[in-house]
Amino acid sequence: MATDTGKEASTDTGKEASTDTGKEASTDTGKEASTDTRTRTGTGTAAAGGRSAGGIEVRPAAGHIGAEIDGVDLAGDLDETAVAAVRAAVLRWKVVFFRGQRLDHARHVALARRFGEPVVLARRGGASPPGFPEVETTADRLELGGRFGMDHEEWLRRRRHTLLRGWHCDHGARVDPPAATILRAETVPPYGGDTTWSNLAAAYAGLSAPVRAFVDGLRAEHRLGVGYRPRPGDDAYARHLMDHQVATVHPLVRVHPETGERVLFVNGYYVEQIEGLSRPESAAILQMLLEQAVRPEYTVRFRWEPGSVAFWDNRATIHLAPGDHTGLGHPRIMHRVMLHGEVPLGVDGRPSEPLTGSEPGRW
């Protein structure tokens, strides 16, 4: 849920963050999955866009993904109607945004518990608050600056050496990636630092029928640190990755456990190799699928403010942490809580298989 926090670093330092049914999210005519979600889940007027009887307004931010929600005080005691409306909006729009919220660490954790079981990380960023093991704090430039013999900019250059490398879901190399992430902004720069999300169900639905049929049966290895380009000579970060390996074979198309949508389970951060294909074949197909996944029409970009909160479905999205603010001289401090997720299931019902470094439910 590495997150938007501007540092996939937390992921790579050894801490990373499900699903089932089998109902197809689209027809062969290419109907978008987002429309089917609203129909299947019965999300109602508010989730579809509008104001509910409880005064909650859901305002879509883009055609396939993203909505802003008004009329909800996340720091208060949400009643069941409000919880249901937010949950439905997350399933429908994949990521929802709230502004002007007054969450502290305790209320952040309490909010997360209304929607699932918060993940307790064994290792967190150094800026994370003591006494709240569910909360991971990132203060971008502090996380990797001076660690492993490189500053944050060098780490990004070696990690994001292609345009697609930064796109990721949270802890996707685990056998049970988080179901969702709730991220709140404490301090943000006056400009820059936006986060972008993409809807992987819509991306799958947008593929042609022959390609969907082809990828439905494929599986791929997801591994922590894929694509990192080591420094010349001794590289402490490369050794760190070897000492903290996390790898899983996931279905290339997973089935969402709550909506039944088929989701294109790809990202630029973890996917190593499609099983059963040669390296050149795998590379070409993954490049095509990644380009499909991040087409502009499937994305939404969010401008953060202090007090903003983003709540996203980590099973159906990938996101891109910002890289345009590190030289501005302004801090960007974010706090996230992730929710436990399930082991993904493919279209054929086969679950993901752990290779090393993770067990279901054990962080």
Side-chain angles (χ1 to χ4, degrees), residues 56-78:
I56 298 173
E57 183 180 12
V58 178
R59 293 182 287 107
H64 293 295
I65 181 173
E68 293 206 23
I69 298 183
D70 294 327
V72 177
D73 178 7
L74 298 180
D77 295 325
L78 300 184

Side-chain angles (χ1 to χ4, degrees), residues 31-84:
K31 181 184 287 185
E32 299 298 352
S34 58
T35 302
D36 292 338
T37 308
R38 178 174 53 191
T39 301
R40 267 199 307 278
T41 57
T43 55
T45 303
R51 186 175 294 276
S52 72
I56 298 173
E57 183 180 12
V58 178
R59 293 182 287 107
H64 293 295
I65 181 173
E68 293 206 23
I69 298 183
D70 294 327
V72 177
D73 178 7
L74 298 180
D77 295 325
L78 300 184
D79 60 26
E80 292 302 321
T81 299
V83 170

Side-chain angles (χ1 to χ4, degrees), residues 60-329:
H64 293 295
I65 181 173
E68 293 206 23
I69 298 183
D70 294 327
V72 177
D73 178 7
L74 298 180
D77 295 325
L78 300 184
D79 60 26
E80 292 302 321
T81 299
V83 170
V86 172
R87 186 188 302 277
V90 172
L91 292 174
R92 169 63 177 87
W93 294 105
K94 312 310 180 201
V95 56
V96 297
F97 310 111
F98 306 83
R99 296 193 182 274
Q101 301 295 318
R102 300 164 298 159
L103 292 173
D104 55 18
H105 297 317
R107 289 171 177 168
H108 193 167
V109 175
L111 169 67
R113 290 191 184 282
R114 298 301 306 273
F115 296 92
E117 179 185 355
V119 168
V120 175
L121 293 166
R123 291 177 293 274
R124 299 183 293 162
S128 299
F132 298 95
E134 304 91 347
V135 178
E136 184 172 30
T137 298
T138 63
D140 297 296
R141 296 175 61 82
L142 303 179
E143 289 300 328
L144 279 180
R147 298 189 61 188
F148 308 110
M150 69 182 102
D151 59 21
H152 188 70
E153 284 77 11
E154 181 181 358
W155 182 85
L156 282 178
R157 288 197 305 271
R158 297 189 176 280
R159 191 69 188 85
R160 292 191 188 181
H161 49 81
T162 73
L163 295 177
L164 298 175
R165 277 291 178 192
W167 286 94
H168 65 287
C169 63
D170 287 337
H171 296 266
R174 284 188 55 90
V175 69
D176 58 343
T181 297
I182 303 174
L183 181 70
R184 82 180 199 268
E186 176 183 322
T187 303
V188 297
Y191 49 88
D194 300 357
T195 304
T196 306
W197 287 262
S198 185
N199 181 341
L200 297 180
Y204 172 84
L207 292 169
S208 65
V211 173
R212 290 202 302 268
F214 173 62
V215 299
D216 277 352
L218 297 178
R219 296 167 72 82
E221 180 180 325
H222 295 230
R223 181 177 292 273
L224 185 64
V226 165
Y228 172 71
R229 293 190 168 177
R231 310 176 91 199
D234 182 59
D235 188 321
Y237 185 61
R239 286 189 280 105
H240 170 84
L241 290 174
M242 291 300 296
D243 291 341
H244 299 85
Q245 291 189 60
V246 181
T248 299
V249 174
H250 287 303
L252 199 58
V253 177
R254 65 181 295 179
V255 182
H256 197 286
E258 295 186 69
T259 69
E261 293 168 293
R262 295 187 184 188
V263 175
L264 188 60
F265 195 9
V266 297
N267 60 79
Y269 198 72
Y270 299 112
V271 184
E272 166 76 5
Q273 167 80 19
I274 298 176
E275 286 194 325
L277 303 187
S278 68
R279 281 279 180 180
E281 290 170 337
S282 175
I285 292 169
L286 286 175
Q287 179 75 13
M288 180 268 289
L289 294 177
L290 278 169
E291 289 176 355
Q292 168 73 7
V294 300
R295 283 170 54 176
E297 58 263 42
Y298 302 140
T299 67
V300 66
R301 180 168 177 155
F302 183 62
R303 176 75 187 99
W304 294 96
E305 301 170 349
S308 295
V309 174
F311 183 172
W312 68 89
D313 188 336
N314 194 55
R315 302 162 297 190
T317 61
I318 50 177
H319 59 280
L320 183 64
D324 64 343
H325 66 291
T326 56
L328 299 180

